[in-house]
Amino acid sequence: ESFIKTFNNYLEEMEVDGPLSAQEQMIILYDIKRQCQHNLSNTDTEATGAVDETCPPEWDGLICWPRGSPGLLTKVPCPSYIYDFNHKGHAYRTCDVNGSWALLEDWNKTWTNYSECWRFLHHNYEEQQFFDRLYFIYTVGYAVSFSSLMVAILIIGYFRRLHCTRNYIHMHLFVSFMLRAVSIFVKDKVVHSSAGLQDFDSVLLDNIKAVSMSPTDKSRYVGCKVTVLLFIYFLATNYFWILVEGLYLHSLIFMAFRSDNKYLWAFILIGWGE
């Protein structure tokens, strides 16, 4: 009972009131885990032979479970430090008559029922479906756009009669849109890639290490940062090449007697150099 009271007091201090980033959530979980392990070590030193018949308290990656009684169902409130959980529900475990937590035979892991805690996440299923469809639509759209622009560039490049300053500017604009599409595909692959089916504790430890690293040790995020930087750059070049199109039309009106080739390189510098 003293273990449960001590841990509940700690949970009240760690209660989450608003949205958290992934790193903030991992830091809170890591603090909860350390506090749980500290309380468990103190409980082990006070344990007697009589309690060996009960299911031992332990940390499962999300919840610090108290000691369970043989043959009974143990329930604890859904953790308040997990922002997306239903904080009014409960998580459940079964302690068998042998004094050990019931296992999932196929996974060889302790069975825990988090269905009530995940209720809020299930309510977002329709919203997730909407975003999945949106992702599919814009991916197909960018793919079609990329293919069409590639055909247009090949046509302009193949026929010599189409070689002129105006079409060169058009080609640069097309290339900027193609690079934007490629950068979006790469960004979606790199930034939104999931960690996969890994052990929660290993994922938690990796994230905590990443948070505690010095800036010189964060080389693992270089690829992600470069990908986002390139996406922003190619997004900006789209607008600058549209600006170049306008500048060229302006030059046709007010500089009609000058050669286009003299300021083509200036347009290229504006479009790609920003």
Side-chain angles (χ1 to χ4, degrees), residues 13-40:
E13 299 175 359
M14 299 297 295
E15 186 173 358
V16 177
D17 296 325
L20 296 174
S21 67
Q23 290 184 344
E24 290 172 337
Q25 184 69 86
M26 289 298 179
I27 292 175
I28 291 177
L29 277 173
Y30 185 65
D31 288 339
I32 296 292
K33 177 181 178 180
R34 288 195 304 174
Q35 180 65 27
C36 176
Q37 292 176 338
H38 174 72
N39 292 334
L40 289 177

Side-chain angles (χ1 to χ4, degrees), residues 149 153 170-180 234 238 272:
L149 292 172
I153 290 176
H170 292 340
M171 291 176 68
H172 281 281
L173 178 63
F174 296 164
V175 170
S176 70
F177 276 105
M178 292 170 63
L179 292 176
R180 173 182 175 178
F234 291 129
N238 288 166
W272 293 113

Side-chain angles (χ1 to χ4, degrees), residues 152-184:
I153 290 176
L154 291 177
I155 292 174
I156 295 175
Y158 181 77
F159 294 101
R160 289 185 174 275
R161 292 182 179 181
L162 299 177
H163 292 186
C164 61
T165 301
R166 180 183 68 256
N167 286 336
Y168 289 153
I169 294 176
H170 292 340
M171 291 176 68
H172 281 281
L173 178 63
F174 296 164
V175 170
S176 70
F177 276 105
M178 292 170 63
L179 292 176
R180 173 182 175 178
V182 171
S183 67
I184 288 176

Side-chain angles (χ1 to χ4, degrees), residues 191-206:
V191 177
H192 301 294
S193 60
S194 61
L197 296 177
Q198 302 179 23
D199 181 73
F200 183 83
D201 277 349
S202 64
V203 176
L204 171 62
L205 185 58
D206 290 343

Side-chain angles (χ1 to χ4, degrees), residues 75-78 84-92 113-122:
K75 73 173 184 177
V76 297
C78 296
D84 290 325
F85 271 10
N86 170 29
H87 301 151
K88 296 181 180 180
H90 291 82
Y92 302 90
N113 184 356
Y114 279 104
S115 58
E116 291 185 14
C117 302
W118 293 342
R119 192 177 66 192
F120 284 177
L121 301 180
H122 293 322

